[in-house]
């Protein structure tokens, strides 16, 4: 069985931001974080889960934790 393709937080955030038609600065304003922080998230650099949660909330996304060992 092949492993599902791994999608990074940054890729998901970038795609959702573009779907909304927002710049990084606009997303930063709406989420309460700086534009450089948005850039770090989109580049898949280390950021806190609190930061990711703020950005996800602004984009209308949910965060989900899954057990990697359990088949779905």
């Amino acid at each position: 069985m092949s492993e599902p393709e791994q999608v990074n937080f940054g890729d998901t955030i970038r795609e959702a931001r573009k779907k909304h038609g927002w710049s990084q600065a606009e997303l930063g304003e709406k989420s309460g974080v700086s534009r450089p922080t948005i850039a770090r998230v989109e580049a898949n650099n280390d950021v806190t889960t609190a930061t990711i949660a703020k950005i996800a909330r602004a984009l209308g996304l949910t965060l989900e934790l899954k057990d990697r060992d359990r088949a779905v």
Side-chain angles (χ1 to χ4, degrees):
M1 193 183 303
S2 66
E3 290 195 24
E5 184 178 324
Q6 184 176 356
V7 177
N8 295 314
F9 280 122
D11 299 332
T12 302
I13 297 296
R14 182 182 303 104
E15 288 176 21
R17 175 179 62 77
K18 288 182 177 185
K19 283 182 184 176
H20 280 83
W22 297 342
S23 67
Q24 288 181 339
E26 288 172 311
L27 177 54
E29 289 174 17
K30 294 175 187 308
S31 62
V33 302
S34 68
R35 195 227 35 95
T37 298
I38 300 296
R40 283 197 308 275
V41 169
E42 291 186 359
N44 295 305
N45 290 337
D46 287 339
V47 291
T48 66
T49 53
T51 297
I52 292 171
K54 287 179 185 179
I55 295 168
R57 191 175 309 116
L59 290 166
L61 301 174
T62 59
L63 299 177
E64 182 178 314
L65 300 174
K66 292 183 178 182
D67 184 349
R68 292 183 191 185
D69 296 331
R70 197 180 301 178
V72 187

